[in-house]
Amino acid sequence: VQLQASGGGLVQPGGSLRLSCVASGFTLFSDYWMYWVRQAPGKELERVSDISSGGLVTFYEDYAKGRFTISRDNDKNTVYLQLNDLKPEDTALYYCASSRVHFRRPRGGALSDYDYWGQGTQVTVSS
């Protein structure tokens, strides 16, 4: 199983990015909850957003509400994260991850808490 995240980059405050995560090797991608999590240098792992296997249920951490949007296309085995109105404090390495059983962990933990995770894509917000 592989999760390949892309779409990160350097953007000015107030700017936007769209992250993508393509999954491969899953028996059935649509069986899995998908997550975006992030980690800034020297800080703990932080959940960004969750999306249910069918895409009908989503969760956002408070800092992401109203600015970020998670979505998925099960036909393409892909999950997305639209980042709008980016702030310098959003600078981090963003990972996509998956689990068959949903769990909530806004902060802390490790990528190994998930069933599968990818290599991350860097988002840097700076003027």
Side-chain angles (χ1 to χ4, degrees):
V1 170
Q2 284 193 329
L3 294 172
Q4 184 73 37
S6 62
L10 173 62
V11 63
Q12 292 186 339
S16 297
L17 287 172
R18 189 192 195 203
L19 308 184
S20 299
C21 173
V22 179
S24 60
F26 281 78
T27 301
L28 192 59
F29 176 70
S30 58
D31 275 352
Y32 288 81
W33 279 79
M34 297 298 297
Y35 312 86
W36 286 97
V37 296
R38 69 183 188 182
Q39 190 164 28
K43 294 190 176 181
E44 61 185 351
L45 196 67
E46 186 174 55
R47 182 76 62 85
V48 180
S49 183
D50 321 359
I51 188 165
S52 63
S53 55
L56 297 181
V57 179
T58 57
F59 295 97
Y60 296 92
E61 299 312 311
D62 286 345
Y63 63 83
K65 290 177 182 176
R67 298 192 299 130
F68 299 172
T69 304
I70 192 170
S71 61
R72 66 189 293 164
D73 184 338
N74 286 343
D75 291 336
K76 296 182 178 179
N77 284 8
T78 302
V79 61
Y80 305 97
L81 186 67
Q82 178 67 41
L83 307 172
N84 294 329
D85 190 23
L86 283 161
K87 306 175 186 299
E89 52 265 40
D90 294 318
T91 295
L93 192 57
Y94 284 70
Y95 300 90
C96 60
S98 66
S99 69
R100 190 181 289 272
V101 178
H102 182 244
F103 67 100
R104 293 288 297 144
R105 185 164 296 144
R107 292 185 177 276
L111 289 172
S112 57
D113 293 338
Y114 300 86
D115 295 346
Y116 305 105
W117 61 94
Q119 86 293 351
T121 184
Q122 178 68 39
V123 172
T124 302
V125 185
S126 175
S127 55

